[in-house]
Amino acid sequence: MSDAIVTALLELADDHLVLGHRLSEWCGHAPMLEEDLALPSMGLDLIGAARVLYTRAGEIEGKGRGEDDFAYLRDERAYRNCLLVERPNGDFAQTMLRQLYFAAFMEPYWKAALGSSDAVVQGLAAKALKEVAYHIRHSAEWVIRLGDGTAESAARMAEAVVELHGYTDELFLSSEAAQAAEAAGILPGRAALRTAWEAALKPVFAEAQLDWPEKVWPQSGGRKGEHGEALGHMLAEMQVIARAHPGAVW
Amino acid sequence: MYSQGLIGADGRTEEDEAFLAAFQARIDAEEKIEPKDAMPEGYRKTLVRQIGQHAHSEIVGMLPEGNWITRAPSLRRKAALLAKVQDEGGHGLYLYSAAETLGVTREQMTEELLSGKAKYSSIFNYPTLTWADIGTIGWLVDGAAIMNQIPLCRCSYGPYARAMIRVCKEESFHQRQGYEIVMTLARGTEAQKAMAQDALNRWWWPSIMMFGPHDAESAHSEQSMAWKIKRFSNDALRQKFIDATVPQAEFLGLKVPDPDMAWDESLNDGKGGYRHGPIDWDEFWRVVKGGGVMNRDRIKARRKAWDEGAWVREAAQAHAEKRAARRAGEDAGGKVAAE
Ligand SMILES: [Fe+2]
Ligand SMILES: [Fe+2]
Ligand SMILES: [Fe+2]
């Protein structure tokens, strides 16, 4: 039972760390200075949430593992994030659409998590809900600007949808661990959030003059540690110093 | 982080004596000069150059530290570094805004940076090779920046002085955070200690050079002092930095890589201070003029971000225009309907 809860918390933590790391890759390289500030700001929110969730998972597990043990000492087969968040940044259109897809899912998720039986999850939900509102606003504004901007930006935005939409299905799938956490009242169910997610996204797509894709091949596997090839490279870079100095304190 | 100061600044003015005397009287009375005030062209140009260089330094300064965000060895350090680099971007933004009050645009300044015409602090043309460089940059480079910038909080130009007050608060936080990283390494494993010493060896001299040439060789300094853009000489600030930093290194058990460094009772008007060995000014000028290890890479990275972001900025512009046109159309339509 507690194993399942730990796994479910790690799934959620990994989603946040991996996406936060992806956003941090933009820092100093964004299309404009304002985005050099906005992307790290969202990244910091996500990494902050991951830290709370890892720490909580470690407490429940009770084996003395802390946030850095989970983040730096697990390899890609042990990471449990969904595939959407590990997708490489691509261009700015893909980064913003990926953000919108994720944030529009997390908003109803955190709302439901306000009723969590776990005080840490409940507290995090209240904080994250405020942050995610900004993430949605910011990314939706960009999806609209780019979708309804120039011919080039519209083509790139349409391509981003083709690139990423297939990865959104996995957001709504609950692993066995997540189902156990739901049954225990700790984490919300996922399947029921699809209506809210589509209701948030469809008006943005309409304003961005983007077609809502009808036919996509859904991709999943992250919750079983079956990832794409990009995650291993991301983790290799992220973990290199920590792993080169076992036991060192930083 | 820090502007190189006034290398190549042209402070000449052509205004008549009475105008200049009246302006100088305001400066001497410690009045703040504000954007709409009349000011000598040389004063304006000097400030545009200095604030622009300072802004560019913040922006280019994001690159060496940004180089370690994805490899920071703990989540706490990763978040702190990401926030720090973001702060530097914020400093760039306030400073560009301060420069814009003097009649230049951010686009013009960006073009000058990308074309290589505008300078930025040469410290950022050194590479960050290990995690210890991140701590050392915070400790020494942000530390040197603070020494330079605290007097700028009292700069005669109001918008610059006000921007610096906000920036200095954040820089001193960066400095403490950097020192704390180095302290953790200095108290860590042998490998971590060696990493910390190696970083100090590489960053010490470039940090000392951040204060610019010796006073005797510093052209344009005098006019800037008279205008209270600059309040202390390069050498005075450098000495202050060394006196503050050497004991910090000793406390960490690290050795400043200057074999001539010694306490000298005669320095600081007899209060004593650390006398440093000769600075390699050839290296300084080589890096300032573009010959450092990272000069080309830094500008290439900025140009790449700018060029690859062009379609995004164009789209934002196009969308804003479409929106405005639609709104104008709706307004006109609304009027017709009402009539
Ligand atoms: Fe700064
Ligand atoms: Fe600065
Ligand atoms: Fe700083």
Side-chain angles (χ1 to χ4, degrees):
Chain A
M1 173 62 195
S2 82
D3 276 2
I5 305 301
V6 170
T7 302
L9 290 171
L10 290 179
E11 291 175 356
L12 193 57
D14 290 346
D15 282 356
H16 284 75
L17 176 59
V18 171
L19 187 56
H21 182 98
R22 284 293 187 220
L23 291 178
S24 80
E25 292 171 352
W26 273 104
C27 187
H29 308 281
M32 62 192 73
L33 190 44
E34 285 75 4
E35 290 305 307
D36 272 322
L37 306 184
L39 292 162
S41 160
M42 294 192 286
L44 281 166
D45 290 343
L46 297 172
I47 292 168
R51 294 180 64 190
V52 172
L53 292 163
Y54 285 135
T55 303
R56 185 68 186 130
E59 283 166 9
I60 295 175
E61 186 188 50
K63 291 180 188 162
R65 286 205 281 180
E67 54 178 30
D68 291 331
D69 298 306
F70 290 120
Y72 288 92
L73 302 177
R74 287 179 306 143
D75 63 25
E76 59 190 296
R77 297 283 289 124
Y79 260 73
R80 287 287 180 269
N81 59 279
C82 62
L83 302 180
L84 174 70
V85 296
E86 73 189 45
R87 297 304 301 155
N89 285 336
D91 62 14
F92 193 69
Q94 291 178 26
T95 291
M96 282 300 153
L97 184 65
R98 185 185 60 193
Q99 202 61 36
L100 179 61
Y101 280 152
F102 184 74
F105 172 82
M106 287 312 300
E107 208 234 8
Y109 186 93
W110 288 128
K111 215 174 256 172
L114 288 172
S116 171
S117 61
D118 185 282
V120 174
V121 172
Q122 199 183 76
L124 175 61
K127 180 169 181 286
L129 208 43
K130 288 180 203 136
E131 294 166 351
V132 88
Y134 166 73
H135 301 187
I136 293 179
R137 200 166 61 240
H138 191 76
S139 56
E141 278 171 6
W142 272 113
V143 167
I144 292 167
R145 276 187 207 114
L146 298 177
D148 181 24
T150 61
E152 179 180 6
S153 71
R156 285 176 182 263
M157 205 64 241
E159 175 60 21
V161 176
V162 173
E163 189 70 31
L164 294 169
H165 205 82
Y167 297 100
T168 57
D169 206 53
E170 193 180 13
L171 291 169
F172 304 99
L173 305 178
S174 288
S175 66
E176 274 178 33
Q179 287 169 29
E182 185 186 349
I186 294 175
L187 294 176
R190 290 176 165 264
L193 305 178
R194 194 187 282 272
T195 322
W197 182 77
E198 287 190 3
L201 284 180
K202 284 187 170 168
V204 175
F205 269 56
E207 222 184 319
Q209 303 181 13
L210 286 167
D211 294 326
W212 186 260
E214 291 306 333
K215 251 191 169 170
V216 288
W217 299 103
Q219 304 288 345
S220 65
R223 307 299 185 204
K224 289 185 286 182
E226 291 166 8
H227 296 281
E229 291 177 349
L231 182 68
H233 293 276
M234 191 201 103
L235 294 181
E237 182 176 345
M238 188 178 98
Q239 297 176 339
V240 61
I241 304 302
R243 290 212 188 210
H245 299 265
V249 173
W250 300 97
Chain B
M1 222 157 278
Y2 162 58
S3 70
Q4 196 82 56
L6 297 166
I7 296 157
D10 180 0
R12 278 176 310 142
T13 56
E14 315 247 352
E15 291 83 0
D16 68 34
E17 298 271 320
F19 173 79
L20 292 176
F23 184 77
Q24 191 61 48
R26 290 193 61 193
I27 299 276
D28 293 342
E30 297 286 334
E31 274 180 47
K32 285 277 178 269
I33 307 302
E34 295 299 335
K36 286 188 182 122
D37 295 350
M39 61 185 83
E41 184 55 17
Y43 179 84
R44 195 189 69 83
K45 271 193 183 159
T46 301
L47 277 166
V48 165
R49 185 179 301 246
Q50 175 162 338
I51 301 173
Q53 284 182 7
H54 192 164
H56 297 325
S57 300
E58 303 286 350
I59 301 306
V60 177
M62 296 173 81
L63 297 171
E65 291 184 276
N67 182 39
W68 282 88
I69 290 171
T70 55
R71 290 177 290 171
S74 73
L75 292 183
R76 180 168 81 96
R77 295 297 187 199
K78 188 187 192 66
L81 179 58
L82 184 54
K84 187 203 172 191
V85 177
Q86 183 196 31
D87 283 349
E88 306 300 3
H91 299 168
L93 205 54
Y94 320 142
L95 286 162
Y96 283 130
S97 303
E100 282 182 324
T101 64
L102 292 159
V104 278
T105 65
R106 206 212 290 180
E107 285 68 29
Q108 287 170 331
M109 288 184 276
T110 301
E111 271 161 31
E112 289 190 354
L113 173 67
L114 299 184
S115 72
K117 193 178 159 219
K119 296 274 177 265
Y120 55 88
S121 182
S122 59
I123 192 84
F124 302 118
N125 291 316
Y126 292 84
T128 50
L129 302 180
T130 72
W131 170 252
D133 291 29
I134 298 309
T136 306
I137 288 177
W139 172 30
L140 299 182
V141 177
D142 287 80
I146 294 162
M147 288 292 172
N148 269 301
Q149 290 173 8
I150 287 191
L152 289 174
C153 296
R154 294 191 296 128
C155 166
S156 60
Y157 189 57
Y160 192 28
R162 288 188 289 272
M164 290 324 299
I165 289 171
R166 191 164 168 191
V167 168
C168 277
K169 276 188 199 144
E170 293 181 352
E171 301 295 15
S172 66
F173 178 72
H174 297 166
Q175 195 268 348
R176 285 198 301 276
Q177 188 173 272
Y179 189 67
E180 198 259 324
I181 291 176
V182 181
M183 193 186 304
T184 306
L185 297 173
R187 291 178 180 168
T189 64
E190 286 308 313
Q192 286 176 307
K193 275 180 219 169
M195 203 188 277
Q197 181 63 57
D198 168 61
L200 179 57
N201 293 348
R202 285 180 290 108
W203 289 95
W204 174 258
W205 289 107
S207 301
I208 294 300
M209 293 176 196
M210 278 176 71
F211 296 91
H214 285 309
D215 297 345
E217 277 102 57
S218 181
H220 313 295
S221 252
E222 243 167 78
Q223 179 63 75
S224 278
M225 297 275 260
W227 276 334
K228 297 189 182 171
I229 293 172
K230 194 176 166 76
R231 289 192 176 249
F232 295 97
S233 76
N234 294 352
D235 285 328
L237 290 168
R238 182 169 18 245
Q239 188 62 47
K240 223 174 154 199
F241 173 77
I242 291 173
D243 290 340
T245 309
V246 170
Q248 291 171 348
E250 276 172 9
F251 179 77
L252 296 176
L254 299 176
K255 203 171 163 358
V256 168
D258 178 353
D260 299 322
M261 180 71 68
W263 182 257
D264 182 338
E265 291 293 344
S266 73
L267 291 178
N268 297 322
D269 303 322
K271 289 194 229 68
Y274 290 91
R275 180 174 297 283
H276 63 80
I279 295 173
D280 182 354
W281 292 112
D282 290 343
E283 174 181 324
F284 173 76
W285 287 113
R286 180 167 62 87
V287 179
V288 167
K289 289 175 180 165
V293 186
M294 298 302 290
N295 291 63
R296 292 177 57 78
D297 287 3
R298 296 292 182 237
I299 291 300
K300 255 191 273 173
R302 286 313 310 156
R303 209 177 282 150
K304 183 167 184 281
W306 186 250
D307 291 346
E308 286 178 3
W311 70 272
V312 176
R313 298 189 302 275
E314 282 158 18
Q317 178 75 26
H319 180 75
E321 282 163 12
K322 281 186 193 177
R323 262 215 160 138
R326 268 180 229 145
R327 208 172 304 128
E330 275 162 26
D331 286 355
K335 251 178 237 158
V336 173
E339 273 163 9

